[in-house]
Amino acid sequence: MEIKITKVEKRKPIPEDDMALGFGKVFTDHMFLMEYEDGAWKNPRIEPYHQLRLDPAAMGLHYGQEVFEGLKGYRGAGGGIYLFRPDRNIERMNRSNRRLMMPEIPPDLHLDAIKTLVLLERDWIPKTEGCALYIRPTMIATDPFLGVRPSNTYVFYIIVGPVAAYYPEGFNPVSIYTTDKYVRAVRGGVGDAKTAGNYAASLAAQIDAIKAGYTQVLWLDAIEQKYIEEVGTMNIMFKIAGETITSPLTGSILPGITRDSVITLGRDLGYEVSEAPVDVNEMLKDVQSGKISEVFGCGTAAVIAPVGKFGYLDEEYLINDYQVGPVAEHLYQELTDLQYGRIEDRFNWIHTIEAA
Ligand SMILES: *Cc1c(COP(=O)(O)O)cnc(C)c1O
């Protein structure tokens, strides 16, 4: 399907200080959108960025039929424009869509939409090291109906915006709070879909974490509250003795693309990486004894986020003296070198939109 483009008459000024951008606050001049009706996607187009018109009874607003994705466009040192494994985001969105009884998006059309929009907004892609253009595909159910059933109509849109490097003051550890009061997702639920309700359900715990002086929440499994699942918007890895371990994808964990990349890249770099259940009590004991020398989160926004401290049941557990460990540092360097096209792409992960 051809994407019709309507450009703005006058472009907004592009922020000059990339490091002051923050995350998710600035959006570009245009957006992609199309509607689903009568069993088909219609009218794919790029238009000036604008507010959506939704019926106040739109089902997505009442019953949570909403799915989203998040990936980045990178500008390499030589001026090339790259995406990192966009096929995985496109595939994951369709998986989320199936779980929420929403229509799939033809992968070629989705990729074409991302590429066309990113190219049109190329001047917005930050040139500063570590900064990128964040890409947010979103789908919402639009039938005006107050009843619980899958909607017959949807809007799919993509907005993009420049984001600062996640670590404005350098690659510093974060502190993470573990809650035994709330759970995020249970097997058979929607924890492995990128859907709005998961994040709404996490807010109470996040506020508790912040009140306790931590920045993010570590989720335990919902049944025994014993096995580690993931962090708010990141998967998590532990360096236990000589091995790097992450929780297996049990159905209640979001299958991160960074997680998958870290497993493959880590093994390629000679680290032993495995998927195995991690018991929170053993893990904290191993942190205290020093058997766990590193913990880090992985997700698109931060890439790699070293964890310096856990909080659990009023106790504090310091990891590696709140210092970044060598594995986290190495993986961060290698992954970002790949994403910015600084090293050869031996995994075929980089999708070049425009060559350097
Ligand atoms: C998006 C997300 C992740 C990370 O996925 P990436 O594909 O690596 O960005 C992890 N956990 C949750 C809950 C998420 O929403």
Side-chain angles (χ1 to χ4, degrees):
M1 265 195 284
E2 202 187 321
I3 298 172
K4 195 178 148 225
I5 300 176
T6 310
K7 291 190 191 168
V8 287
E9 278 174 19
K10 191 166 178 295
R11 280 194 172 262
K12 293 186 276 206
I14 296 174
E16 279 173 23
D17 182 2
D18 289 342
M19 294 310 270
L21 288 165
F23 190 94
K25 294 192 287 197
V26 177
F27 301 99
T28 65
D29 293 308
H30 300 92
M31 66 194 288
F32 172 89
L33 69 165
M34 63 179 177
E35 289 86 17
Y36 187 86
E37 271 174 35
D38 305 322
W41 287 108
K42 299 200 171 145
N43 197 13
R45 60 200 186 275
I46 287 173
E47 290 183 342
Y49 189 99
H50 60 76
Q51 298 195 346
L52 295 177
R53 284 181 66 102
L54 290 179
D55 193 289
M59 292 179 73
L61 302 178
H62 298 270
Y63 308 116
Q65 244 193 328
E66 190 270 5
V67 152
F68 69 95
E69 266 304 327
L71 66 158
K72 283 173 173 174
Y74 304 87
R75 188 184 293 279
I81 301 173
Y82 312 110
L83 301 174
F84 184 70
R85 309 185 77 184
D87 51 308
R88 288 303 192 104
N89 295 91
I90 288 168
E91 193 184 302
R92 185 170 67 190
M93 184 150 193
N94 279 343
R95 221 167 40 234
S96 301
N97 290 334
R98 288 195 293 274
R99 179 64 183 83
L100 276 284
M101 298 306 292
M102 296 164 78
E104 294 184 34
I105 297 160
D108 291 347
L109 175 59
H110 194 164
L111 184 62
D112 193 23
I114 292 174
K115 281 164 64 171
T116 309
L117 183 59
V118 170
L119 269 183
L120 182 65
E121 305 295 55
R122 55 192 302 144
D123 292 347
W124 286 85
I125 310 173
K127 295 180 183 71
T128 308
E129 159 91 35
C131 302
L133 189 73
Y134 187 71
I135 303 164
R136 170 54 62 94
T138 311
M139 197 195 296
I140 305 175
T142 50
D143 275 11
F145 176 56
L146 297 184
V148 179
R149 59 151 172 82
S151 178
N152 293 312
T153 60
Y154 296 85
V155 61
F156 170 76
Y157 60 89
I158 306 172
I159 50 177
V160 299
V163 296
Y166 201 80
Y167 301 102
E169 291 125 37
F171 192 48
N172 290 324
V174 297
S175 62
I176 292 186
Y177 176 83
T178 308
T179 174
D180 64 345
K181 186 163 156 203
Y182 301 106
V183 295
R184 173 183 176 272
V186 67
R187 225 158 294 163
V190 293
D192 61 350
K194 238 173 153 67
T195 183
N198 287 329
Y199 306 85
S202 75
L203 297 175
Q206 193 191 317
I207 296 306
D208 280 358
I210 290 167
K211 279 189 191 148
Y214 293 81
T215 55
Q216 303 199 38
V217 176
L218 176 71
W219 295 104
L220 303 178
D221 81 276
I223 295 166
E224 296 183 71
Q225 298 214 32
K226 180 173 159 190
Y227 295 104
I228 285 162
E229 300 234 302
E230 62 175 318
V231 185
T233 54
M234 294 189 289
N235 298 108
I236 188 156
M237 307 228 167
F238 302 87
K239 181 154 182 284
I240 307 180
E243 215 178 346
T244 301
I245 296 177
T246 190
S247 311
L249 299 175
T250 50
S252 47
I253 295 176
L254 203 283
I257 294 156
T258 318
R259 174 191 181 278
D260 183 79
S261 307
V262 164
I263 293 173
T264 304
L265 174 67
R267 287 177 182 160
D268 184 76
L269 294 173
Y271 297 109
E272 212 175 297
V273 188
S274 32
E275 297 172 75
V278 178
D279 179 319
V280 66
N281 294 302
E282 281 174 35
M283 185 278 283
L284 293 172
K285 236 190 287 161
D286 289 347
V287 164
Q288 279 178 321
S289 75
K291 191 174 164 196
I292 289 184
S293 53
E294 283 190 52
V295 180
F296 52 91
C298 45
T300 296
V303 191
I304 301 285
V307 180
K309 188 170 77 173
F310 280 125
Y312 185 48
L313 305 176
D314 297 326
E315 294 273 344
E316 262 188 25
Y317 300 83
L318 220 55
I319 302 147
N320 194 30
D321 254 348
Y322 217 88
Q323 300 299 308
V324 179
V327 179
E329 180 92 56
H330 191 190
L331 288 166
Y332 178 78
Q333 195 57 49
E334 286 276 334
L335 258 183
T336 50
D337 280 351
L338 277 164
Q339 289 166 338
Y340 288 87
R342 293 190 289 255
I343 57 174
E344 198 205 312
D345 173 23
R346 58 199 187 277
F347 306 105
N348 211 5
W349 282 344
I350 304 306
H351 190 97
T352 301
I353 303 190
E354 191 172 84

